[in-house]
Amino acid sequence: EVQLVESGGGLVQPGGSLRLSCAASGFTFSDHYMDWVRQAPGKGLEWVGRTRNKANSYTTEYAASVKGRFTISRDDSKNSLYLQMNSLKTEDTAVYYCASSAYSGSYYGLGYWGQGTLVTVSS
Amino acid sequence: SYELTQPPSVSVSPGQTARITCSGDALPKQYAYWYQQKPGQAPVLVIYKDSERPSGIPERFSGSSSGTTVTLTISGVQAEDEADYYCQSADSSGTSWVFGGGTKLTVL
């Protein structure tokens, strides 16, 4: 069974930093593209960014709203995905989901999702 | 920045067909993906690459594409299909991904 479990959320002051983790199991993590998606309270989904797999050189892409502040990384030896968030703003308050491409090798839509972790940016 | 446009709401009676559209300038070049999200739950992928259905998704869910618009069709809508639906795609460069604003499907 595929499982994605996020951790690391919490309350942080504006300008602060936070690192989210996502532990994956039940599939060959190294073969899959991985995304972070967030959802502000009562709002829609917002794509945060992506890391591709080793075959595609672990390249990353980011939404304009987080580029230069957020960094996505992965450790295939630990089946883990990370999101380093710096210079946090109140508008970054959201539930953050890690999600995996439905099938290995390329992007086939986000077929597996974690339960999400809440990040609250407030003074 | 690139945008995908969805109607805020669609309402249908049980057994009828629901159609949810998503419009974007790059859709002729980029695939679209559709997600269903029920309150308090993570999204579920229901259509990938415009019209492919992941395993486990009922056949009543289908997708199509025409020019700058993609459509999610739910045939024989059931009460359990009441949810928010989001389309997702990329800009023409393929490097910036977005979700549509979401459509709330109400089953009357």
Side-chain angles (χ1 to χ4, degrees):
Chain A
E1 179 194 5
V2 171
Q3 278 200 316
L4 296 170
V5 180
E6 301 96 337
S7 60
L11 175 64
V12 60
Q13 291 188 336
S17 298
L18 209 57
R19 188 195 196 207
L20 305 183
S21 300
C22 173
S25 60
F27 65 106
T28 306
F29 179 78
S30 58
D31 289 344
H32 283 247
Y33 287 28
M34 298 294 299
D35 284 17
W36 286 98
V37 175
R38 68 184 181 183
Q39 188 167 34
K43 302 297 185 182
L45 302 173
E46 180 184 10
W47 179 76
V48 173
R50 170 174 304 155
T51 174
R52 292 186 176 81
N53 54 15
K54 181 178 181 180
N56 288 280
S57 304
Y58 298 124
T59 53
T60 54
E61 289 158 359
Y62 299 92
S65 59
V66 306
K67 196 169 186 178
R69 299 188 299 124
F70 290 11
T71 302
I72 296 173
S73 61
R74 61 191 295 165
D75 185 340
D76 289 352
S77 69
K78 296 182 178 179
N79 288 346
S80 292
L81 177 72
Y82 305 102
L83 179 66
Q84 177 67 44
M85 303 184 293
N86 299 330
S87 303
L88 282 161
K89 306 175 181 180
T90 55
E91 53 262 41
D92 295 319
T93 294
V95 172
Y96 284 73
Y97 294 99
C98 79
S100 162
S101 180
Y103 304 103
S104 65
S106 186
Y107 188 72
Y108 295 93
L110 300 171
Y112 302 104
W113 295 68
Q115 83 288 352
T117 187
L118 177 62
V119 173
T120 303
V121 185
S122 175
S123 55
Chain B
S1 61
Y2 186 54
E3 292 184 355
L4 296 173
T5 301
Q6 299 180 234
S9 63
V10 168
S11 299
V12 294
S13 299
Q16 290 190 327
T17 296
R19 293 180 179 86
I20 299 172
T21 59
C22 172
S23 299
D25 289 342
L27 288 175
K29 284 187 59 178
Q30 301 291 345
Y31 286 122
Y33 304 81
W34 289 95
Y35 301 87
Q36 175 195 69
Q37 187 181 33
K38 297 181 179 179
Q41 298 183 18
V44 173
L45 179 69
V46 295
I47 293 290
Y48 68 96
K49 291 193 173 183
D50 288 350
S51 60
E52 300 294 322
R53 197 172 48 248
S55 57
I57 300 302
E59 290 184 8
R60 64 179 181 274
F61 288 87
S62 63
S64 61
S65 176
S66 179
T68 59
T69 299
V70 293
T71 302
L72 172 69
T73 300
I74 311 171
S75 304
V77 166
Q78 301 181 6
E80 67 197 51
D81 299 330
E82 186 164 284
D84 293 325
Y85 291 84
Y86 296 89
C87 60
Q88 183 199 31
S89 189
D91 66 1
S92 56
S93 72
T95 59
S96 180
W97 288 74
V98 295
F99 287 94
T103 298
K104 182 174 181 59
L105 175 66
T106 300
V107 181
L108 301 170

